[in-house]
Amino acid sequence: MATENGDNFRYLVVQPENGGLTDLLRYGIWGNKASGAKFFESSDEGTLHEELPVGGDRETPAHRWVIIVSIVMRKLIKFFGKPMEWTGYVVDFILNLLSFNGGLLSLLFNFLQGKMVIPVRGSATFISTIGHIDGRIDLQHPGDAFANIELDARNKSLMDLCMMASKLAYENAVVIKNVVNLNWKARLNFSLFPSLKTLITQYTLTNSMLNRCTLSTSTTVGMVRKSELLLNYQKERSTQVFIFSDKPTDANLIVISFRGTEPFDADDWITDFDYSWYEIPKLGKVHMGFLEAMGLGNRVETSSFQKLLQITNTNDQDPTKLLPDMSEMSAYLAVRTKLKTLLNEHKNAKFMVTGHSLGGALAILFPIVLVLHEEDELLQRMVGVHTFGQPRVGNRELGRYMESKLQQPHPRYFRFVYCNDLVPRLPYDNKTFLYKHFGVCLYYDSLYVEQKLDEEPNPNDYGLWYLIPEHLNAVWELVRGMTMGMVYGPEYKESWVGIVMRMIGLAIPGLSAHGPPNYVNSIRLGTEKHIQMSTL
């Protein structure tokens, strides 16, 4: 696939549904290339040969193991997708039911008296599972919180604001509005989200006539809720984002916060374990699942990536004319349009982009595409990007290119990684797919000691030699979680739901380490330990 300039757009799509258990065994044990190739679709034979070698220096059992783990995990997650979704609904309901009624005993008492309070999903008091794990909503310096924030990506108060905004992104529209407007004394800009909902609805009407996809959207006004897009490759898409400013008029700071991986959302986890990529000439390889989540193309029609990604700020191309269906549903284009409007209204304002988990990947992808589209005026007004527990988004070439754009003359992109968090170690960084992190890594160990590194320790985090220390650390974190309130004060007391999450961490340490409480505590309690960094 080539552009008008002769540049080749290459891609690799990992398709677990195209092969079976026998193919996995043949490839995994005997290195049968024909069996392994069933799981891939590529732009050309050369790309497939590069990514699926048999023999030679690149071929190792670990090489095949990474591919097999990805395929197996995605198959398992997809198989349990509906049960996960139903479990999520039940867990959310039960947690809110217990909260509304004051606990289990009070719930039973209220039930016997006929006074049981039933939670209403989408209401101002209905809290997500993430919100029950960590119920903190106030910023570190309440009151005039924004008075302590300097427009510098290295400012601690700004880091705290970004983490709390990333955590808040998991909530429904009404909860977000109340927290931002009432607790933070800021201004939530809702006008973006009805227009995005309208665009998505238009996409439904257009493609329903073509029998290409179906789409259901929430009726919640002011926020893109759980939009489920079922394409013919059966990948559901859900991107939730909100934007707020520190003041309704003459704002100094605008924050864009993307929602991250929801605990019971199979598609979010499938995206995290996906190794499919799309290569942009002169820029590098970018994670295809994250591009799709931003509405910048889809793997069913791979030419859609090229048509949307090659649009620049200077070539006068109208995305609605190039590819009307995809441009109408693009979260990237909708957020960019709203951001431009806000920056025109607030002449002195600058903006931050943030997100936790999958939201962190989308947060850094946003400026990546701004750079690609030559949005220099926007980038000049960007304070920085803060991501928390973010997976890798591209290869080393992409990292080097973005380092030259975002990290000079001083760093603007900071990745926060807590201890054994599994997600920043995905997709695996090895010879198979060459995914690499970039930016400044602020790594926190389980004692909340901060180190500035190029890469978090144990970057791939698999192998028997990691299991024992990780499980021992999970035991320590469980004990610490039970005593946080006594040691650091009531603000840090972990909820019973958080303690249950710590118990799950005894079996899967990297999962419990991914929780937002670890990142809030790291920023607020962290102490610095300086280590010399090398260049990328």
Side-chain angles (χ1 to χ4, degrees):
M1 184 186 302
T3 67
E4 296 177 355
N5 298 325
D7 294 325
N8 291 320
F9 283 79
R10 300 195 308 156
Y11 64 86
L12 181 81
V13 181
V14 184
Q15 298 177 317
E17 65 276 6
N18 285 358
L21 179 61
T22 303
D23 296 308
L24 272 178
L25 292 176
R26 286 175 178 171
Y27 176 65
I29 298 175
W30 295 287
N32 187 292
K33 186 174 181 178
S35 296
K38 291 182 180 181
F39 297 101
F40 295 89
E41 175 190 338
S42 63
S43 53
D44 55 77
E45 286 297 324
T47 297
L48 184 61
H49 180 73
E50 288 177 14
E51 301 298 337
L52 197 67
V54 174
D57 294 336
R58 292 186 61 197
E59 173 64 6
T60 65
H63 180 105
R64 296 197 298 270
W65 172 250
V66 171
I67 298 175
I68 292 169
V69 168
S70 170
I71 292 170
V72 170
M73 288 301 299
R74 290 180 63 193
K75 279 180 172 289
L76 286 174
I77 294 170
K78 186 175 181 60
F79 179 80
F80 290 105
K82 278 300 177 182
M84 286 175 65
E85 181 182 351
W86 298 333
T87 301
Y89 279 110
V90 172
V91 170
D92 278 348
F93 180 81
I94 291 176
L95 291 178
N96 281 278
L97 183 67
L98 291 171
S99 177
F100 283 18
N101 290 276
L104 182 59
L105 292 179
S106 296
L107 172 63
L108 295 174
F109 186 73
N110 289 346
F111 175 76
L112 294 174
Q113 288 193 319
K115 298 180 180 179
M116 185 172 64
V117 182
I118 304 297
V120 178
R121 188 176 297 273
S123 68
T125 51
F126 194 94
I127 306 301
S128 70
T129 299
I130 295 294
H132 283 284
I133 292 175
D134 186 348
R136 289 173 289 188
I137 58 175
D138 289 327
L139 302 178
Q140 186 173 16
H141 302 287
D144 190 4
F146 291 92
N148 297 299
I149 294 177
E150 299 177 8
L151 297 186
D152 184 332
R154 297 162 290 187
N155 180 259
K156 282 286 187 180
S157 295
L158 185 57
M159 294 175 181
D160 182 73
L161 171 66
C162 287
M163 181 57 227
M164 296 303 289
S166 299
K167 188 167 76 73
L168 185 61
Y170 289 96
E171 306 301 334
N172 67 60
V174 185
V175 172
I176 292 174
K177 179 180 179 180
N178 288 343
V179 171
V180 171
N181 290 356
L182 302 179
N183 291 76
W184 297 355
K185 309 299 181 185
R187 173 66 178 270
L188 184 63
N189 301 285
F190 274 113
S191 57
L192 167 66
F193 303 103
S195 65
L196 182 53
K197 182 171 71 70
T198 302
L199 293 175
I200 293 175
T201 303
Q202 291 171 356
Y203 180 75
T204 305
L205 294 175
T206 302
N207 286 278
S208 61
M209 293 186 290
L210 298 175
N211 294 318
R212 290 177 61 188
C213 65
T214 58
L215 177 66
S216 63
T217 60
S218 169
T219 57
T220 303
V221 177
M223 171 62 66
V224 177
R225 291 284 298 144
K226 176 74 174 179
S227 302
E228 295 180 344
L229 176 61
L230 184 59
L231 296 170
N232 59 6
Y233 58 93
Q234 299 183 354
K235 176 180 175 62
E236 294 182 343
R237 209 179 278 159
S238 59
T239 298
Q240 183 166 303
V241 55
F242 73 96
I243 302 177
F244 68 95
S245 55
D246 61 344
K247 293 182 292 185
T249 59
D250 194 24
N252 295 314
L253 177 64
I254 296 168
V255 178
I256 304 169
S257 178
F258 289 91
R259 193 208 67 193
T261 305
E262 291 200 281
F264 301 99
D265 191 312
D267 295 300
D268 285 356
W269 285 105
I270 286 174
T271 299
D272 287 337
F273 279 95
D274 190 8
Y275 291 93
S276 305
W277 53 258
Y278 189 83
E279 185 173 29
I280 304 170
K282 303 176 182 177
L283 188 68
K285 295 177 181 177
V286 184
H287 191 290
M288 184 177 286
F290 301 149
L291 288 173
E292 289 177 316
M294 288 289 274
L296 289 167
N298 74 71
R299 65 188 66 195
V300 175
E301 187 65 39
T302 52
S303 63
S304 60
F305 292 107
Q306 178 184 345
K307 291 176 180 178
L308 284 171
L309 290 171
Q310 70 182 4
I311 302 165
T312 68
N313 191 36
T314 58
N315 62 14
D316 297 324
Q317 291 177 309
D318 184 352
T320 61
K321 294 179 180 178
L322 282 173
L323 195 61
D325 290 345
M326 288 306 300
S327 63
E328 286 174 353
M329 65 157 294
S330 172
Y332 163 77
L333 292 175
V335 172
R336 188 185 69 176
T337 299
K338 183 58 182 180
L339 177 61
K340 287 184 175 181
T341 300
L342 289 171
L343 291 175
N344 284 332
E345 292 176 2
H346 306 280
K347 301 298 183 181
N348 298 317
K350 295 186 177 182
F351 71 96
M352 284 290 301
V353 193
T354 191
H356 170 260
S357 190
L358 173 61
L362 301 183
I364 187 56
L365 183 59
F366 184 70
I368 287 175
V369 184
L370 288 181
V371 168
L372 179 66
H373 288 173
E374 301 176 13
E375 294 285 355
D376 296 334
E377 290 186 10
L378 282 181
L379 290 165
Q380 287 174 4
R381 297 179 69 175
M382 186 179 77
V383 178
V385 181
H386 287 166
T387 68
F388 306 88
Q390 168 220 313
R392 298 179 177 104
V393 299
N395 66 352
R396 187 183 296 277
E397 183 182 357
L398 175 72
R400 285 173 174 162
Y401 185 85
M402 292 305 300
E403 288 270 6
S404 68
K405 299 293 183 179
L406 296 183
Q407 304 301 84
Q408 304 296 333
H410 55 77
R412 290 193 288 170
Y413 170 37
F414 291 86
R415 293 187 306 106
F416 295 77
V417 177
Y418 172 76
C419 201
N420 295 323
D421 188 347
L422 170 67
V423 175
R425 277 94 177 177
L426 296 173
Y428 287 128
D429 168 18
N430 75 343
K431 294 181 180 180
T432 308
F433 295 97
L434 301 177
Y435 278 97
K436 299 288 183 182
H437 276 306
F438 64 98
V440 178
C441 173
L442 295 182
Y443 171 79
Y444 295 86
D445 63 20
S446 60
L447 297 176
Y448 305 127
V449 176
E450 174 193 300
Q451 302 176 38
K452 291 183 180 179
L453 306 173
D454 294 319
E455 182 75 83
E456 56 274 5
N458 308 332
N460 288 314
D461 200 28
Y462 65 91
L464 294 176
W465 49 89
Y466 294 130
L467 290 179
I468 294 177
E470 286 187 359
H471 282 81
L472 289 175
N473 190 72
V475 174
W476 149 244
E477 289 181 338
L478 174 61
V479 174
R480 185 196 61 191
M482 293 177 176
T483 60
M484 285 290 291
M486 292 181 286
V487 175
Y488 297 106
E491 175 191 352
Y492 295 94
K493 181 180 179 180
E494 296 203 359
S495 66
W496 69 268
V497 185
I499 297 300
V500 170
M501 191 66 187
R502 299 288 186 197
M503 292 178 178
I504 294 174
L506 297 177
I508 314 175
L511 192 60
S512 60
H514 187 58
N518 300 308
Y519 287 95
V520 177
N521 293 342
S522 293
I523 292 171
R524 297 184 177 184
L525 301 174
T527 57
E528 293 187 31
K529 177 181 179 181
H530 296 285
I531 290 184
Q532 183 67 35
M533 295 178 61
S534 64
T535 57
L536 184 68

